[in-house]
Amino acid sequence: MARGAFITFEGIDGSGKSTQLLRLAEALKEDGYDVITTREPGGSEGAEEIRALVLEGATDRWSAETEILLFTAARRDHMERTILPALAAGKIVLCDRFADSTRMYQGLSRGDLRALVDQLHDLMIGREPDLTVLIDMDPAVGLARAKGRQTAEERFEDFGQDLQTKMRAGFLALSEEFADRYRVLDGNRSMDDVALDVHKTVRAYLA
Ligand code: ADP
Ligand code: TYD
């Protein structure tokens, strides 16, 4: 049976993760791989319900600690029902955001809660991606793109550009902390150029 691979996309809001994940899925299918795409928060029925709780409403709707619990609960359901079964079937799982987003958004945005995020991750999730593609992006451009979408899911975008700037620096630091699995790509290019780079990078990993 083919060996599965768990590949995540990370980066600030509006960096192009969702666009690139879909492009990569198409490219890998053409290469002959069995691919599924999924996202966090969400990716299973229960986790999609939790998604609405955490992404809609006022920025102060939840404390950072409560958010860690909600995102981790969603992730546990997503792992059990979507990610682990697909990996066991030898598929390539492409996931839009994962635990590194909790390390950043809940771990850094309101005080230093990184240790708590890691503890809960070890207790309840216990698995890292095989490969993480970080799409690095100017925070102002990312936020403008994200704001252009006009959805109800704006709790984090409403924290503003300071948060985006902090998240960008945090993701770059994380890429050094987990250098083995991280690949950092420049998102300030055309969609086609970024897509070629993502495909080349992931193909090299899979080979
Ligand atoms: P994310 O999932 O990281 O929030 P998206 O893929 O949803 O980002 O992209 C946010 C917006 O920016 C979308 O409207 C998308 O069409 C646009 N976009 C994505 N990549 C690029 C790019 N390289 N250049 C210009 N616009 C882009
Ligand atoms: P997403 O839909 O990927 O937003 P975008 O397309 O704008 O990047 O994620 C929605 C928001 O959820 C995003 O602002 C980051 C936040 N988030 C967390 O705060 N913690 C998490 O663990 C995850 C997965 C996402």
Side-chain angles (χ1 to χ4, degrees):
M1 193 161 65
R3 197 169 56 99
F6 181 28
I7 301 176
T8 59
F9 279 68
E10 296 283 359
I12 61 171
D13 293 328
S15 55
K17 297 177 300 299
S18 320
T19 305
Q20 294 302 330
L21 185 138
L22 290 176
R23 297 276 301 255
L24 178 65
E26 292 311 315
L28 291 179
K29 282 177 194 163
E30 278 175 26
D31 293 340
Y33 290 103
D34 197 354
V35 182
I36 71 154
T37 61
T38 186
R39 69 168 181 182
E40 290 211 346
S44 64
E45 205 180 321
E48 288 289 334
E49 288 190 34
I50 297 174
R51 180 180 177 99
L53 293 177
V54 287
L55 296 192
E56 297 177 20
T59 52
D60 64 356
R61 183 175 185 185
W62 310 107
S63 70
E65 288 84 354
T66 311
E67 268 174 32
I68 296 172
L69 292 166
L70 289 168
F71 278 106
T72 306
R75 181 161 304 127
R76 174 80 197 199
D77 193 61
H78 186 206
M79 286 293 283
E80 288 174 3
R81 291 167 198 263
T82 306
I83 297 175
L84 293 177
L87 292 174
K91 295 180 199 228
I92 294 179
V93 176
L94 302 182
C95 186
D96 197 341
R97 294 192 184 278
F98 190 65
D100 291 337
S101 282
T102 316
R103 292 186 168 106
M104 293 295 99
Y105 285 81
Q106 284 66 48
L108 295 186
S109 66
R110 284 159 284 170
D112 183 5
L113 296 178
R114 171 70 195 276
L116 197 62
V117 173
D118 283 333
Q119 281 172 341
L120 201 58
H121 180 81
D122 291 346
L123 203 59
M124 282 295 148
I125 309 298
R127 162 148 199 167
E128 302 297 342
D130 299 314
L131 187 77
T132 299
V133 177
L134 173 59
I135 308 200
D136 183 44
M137 182 80 212
D138 178 336
V141 179
L143 191 60
R145 283 187 192 166
K147 280 282 180 194
R149 278 186 306 225
Q150 300 272 351
T151 66
E153 296 180 339
E154 300 205 338
R155 258 192 82 229
F156 288 91
E157 289 157 20
D158 288 343
F159 280 104
Q161 192 172 320
D162 285 353
L163 179 73
Q164 300 294 327
T165 302
K166 202 167 172 179
M167 294 299 101
R168 183 207 192 171
F171 275 121
L172 287 172
L174 212 54
S175 75
E176 287 171 16
E177 185 180 339
F178 295 110
D180 286 356
R181 69 173 160 91
Y182 258 86
R183 304 288 184 275
V184 183
L185 304 183
D186 177 10
N188 297 287
R189 294 175 288 168
S190 74
M191 287 187 204
D192 287 351
D193 284 355
V194 180
L196 279 174
D197 205 1
V198 171
H199 189 201
K200 192 179 79 182
T201 301
V202 171
R203 229 177 9 195
Y205 168 78
L206 292 172

